[in-house]
Amino acid sequence: MNNKPFNALNDCFVRYFFTDKGGEKVLLDFINAVMISADMKTFKAVEILNPFNLKSNYKDKETIVDVKCITKNGTIVIIEVQLSGNSRFPERILYYWATNYSKLLKKGEQYEELNPVISINLLNFNLNKKGNNVHSCYMIYDTKNARLLTDHLQIHMIELKKFKFKDNNLPKDLNCWLGFFTTNNMEAYMSEIVKEKPIMEEAHKRYNNFIRNQLMMSEYEKKELYQYDKKIMLADERRIGMREGEENKAISIAKSMKNKNMDINLISEITGLTIDEIKKL
């Protein structure tokens, strides 16, 4: 580990932590913590499912979530960790929800057979830069009287960049879990939080099992390197895009000035283009 802080948002770890044998206890507690935070009903038990939604047609888009489970009353819960996003991220989440919802009904079954699908998203970026809410819950309401159309769609967005441990309005349980996923010192955090929340003893055990497993840690490191390379690549693309944008702007200004028969030396001084570049415009 080279003494680097452990990244509990690494999807290799998240999938192991919640879905490997015995993960139902911590998974149920985390889901219920999210439900309590949104003033929703909690669940008594969960069963872990295959996270793949296999395409039925070669033209379809295959989807996979980090964690997928079903509760005792038939509600499907999907959990995703997203380290980066863009302006189309909400549509992506809705698409994943819709894919899982549509798979519930088998040929010949009635709509009564459908059950709610809850989407929980741990975001390591700000989806809404204007607000300070760490946890938001989206459902389908009438715009005039706020009447709920159906409880079958429930999308939770948890914006971790806005989270500050013990400095927020979150309920205790969700506060503990988000602290777990964002701490820079896992051992110190776990020794403190176990006193407040006993289930974290199981969480600590699963964390230790993971970091002591060479194969899993190898996959963890590969994923960390991939994310680092991706971050560098995106930063480079932004710099190139900005530079190209500045060059295009300079060319546009130079063309306009040249059309007005302005002094070519002045155009060069203002735009930064060379005399030869301006003459070729």
Side-chain angles (χ1 to χ4, degrees):
M1 290 297 292
N2 298 323
N3 296 320
K4 290 188 294 185
F6 182 81
N7 178 20
L9 294 174
N10 181 296
D11 57 7
C12 295
F13 174 70
V14 171
R15 289 170 187 170
Y16 161 79
F17 183 78
F18 282 134
T19 67
D20 196 61
K21 185 178 179 181
E24 292 87 355
K25 289 181 181 179
V26 289
L27 177 58
L28 177 64
D29 195 86
F30 172 71
I31 292 171
N32 282 341
V34 175
M35 295 299 104
I36 290 169
S37 176
D39 296 323
M40 299 292 180
K41 65 180 180 181
T42 57
F43 302 105
K44 293 183 179 179
V46 293
E47 178 186 341
I48 295 163
L49 300 174
N50 185 338
F52 286 90
N53 285 308
L54 299 178
K55 54 187 179 182
S56 54
N57 185 300
Y58 79 97
K59 291 183 178 179
D60 291 345
K61 182 177 175 65
E62 191 169 287
T63 62
I64 177 174
V65 293
D66 290 320
V67 179
K68 183 175 180 178
C69 65
I70 185 169
T71 68
K72 199 171 184 179
N73 68 354
T75 296
I76 298 293
V77 182
I78 55 178
I79 299 174
E80 271 209 272
V81 175
Q82 287 295 322
L83 302 182
S84 61
N86 53 43
S87 60
R88 296 274 68 91
F89 181 76
E91 286 80 0
R92 178 187 184 279
I93 292 302
L94 189 59
Y95 179 81
Y96 271 55
W97 174 89
T99 301
N100 281 276
Y101 190 63
S102 66
K103 296 290 183 182
L104 294 178
L105 210 59
K106 296 181 178 66
K107 188 175 180 179
E109 290 184 337
Q110 302 299 311
Y111 292 119
E112 287 80 7
E113 302 296 324
L114 289 167
N115 286 310
V117 173
I118 297 172
S119 170
I120 299 175
N121 303 276
L122 287 167
L123 313 180
N124 203 30
F125 61 92
N126 288 337
L127 182 66
N128 181 2
K129 295 180 181 179
K130 293 181 180 179
N132 293 318
N133 290 339
V134 175
H135 177 203
S136 303
C137 178
Y138 298 89
M139 301 180 76
I140 304 178
Y141 290 92
D142 183 278
T143 57
K144 292 187 177 179
N145 58 30
R147 185 175 63 234
L148 182 67
L149 178 65
T150 174
D151 66 351
H152 278 210
L153 183 145
Q154 198 178 121
I155 295 177
H156 297 262
M157 301 291 195
I158 299 174
E159 298 173 72
L160 296 172
K161 290 292 185 183
K162 298 177 181 178
F163 175 73
K164 296 179 181 177
F165 187 61
K166 293 186 176 179
D167 186 22
N168 56 68
N169 296 320
L170 295 173
K172 172 188 168 185
D173 285 349
L174 186 57
N175 188 63
C176 288
W177 275 116
L178 299 193
F180 172 79
F181 284 113
T182 58
T183 182
N184 287 323
N185 189 333
M186 185 64 79
E187 290 299 335
Y189 177 77
M190 295 308 287
S191 63
E192 176 186 348
I193 211 67
V194 161
K195 302 168 187 174
E196 298 181 36
K197 191 171 172 61
I199 190 67
M200 288 314 222
E201 204 167 313
E202 177 63 23
H204 195 192
K205 177 183 174 183
R206 297 184 72 75
Y207 160 75
N208 282 328
N209 288 344
F210 183 87
I211 64 173
R212 290 168 184 166
N213 185 298
Q214 290 185 353
L215 181 59
M216 289 194 291
M217 283 304 297
S218 174
E219 293 303 309
Y220 166 91
E221 293 290 0
K222 287 178 186 175
K223 191 66 178 184
E224 288 296 283
L225 183 59
Y226 168 78
Q227 290 297 341
Y228 177 77
D229 289 345
K230 183 179 176 182
K231 186 177 179 180
I232 296 298
M233 183 181 69
L234 289 173
D236 288 343
E237 288 176 353
R238 289 192 194 100
R239 280 195 293 270
I240 292 169
M242 289 175 66
R243 186 165 62 247
E244 289 177 347
E246 289 170 358
E247 289 174 357
N248 290 335
K249 184 178 179 181
I251 291 170
S252 178
I253 293 171
K255 283 180 178 180
S256 178
M257 295 175 75
K258 191 177 179 183
N259 290 337
K260 293 177 182 177
N261 297 316
M262 294 180 69
D263 181 73
I264 197 167
N265 292 303
L266 178 62
I267 297 174
S268 177
E269 184 181 335
I270 291 174
T271 63
L273 298 176
T274 66
I275 300 295
D276 287 340
E277 286 174 330
I278 296 168
K279 286 179 178 179
K280 291 176 183 178
L281 295 177

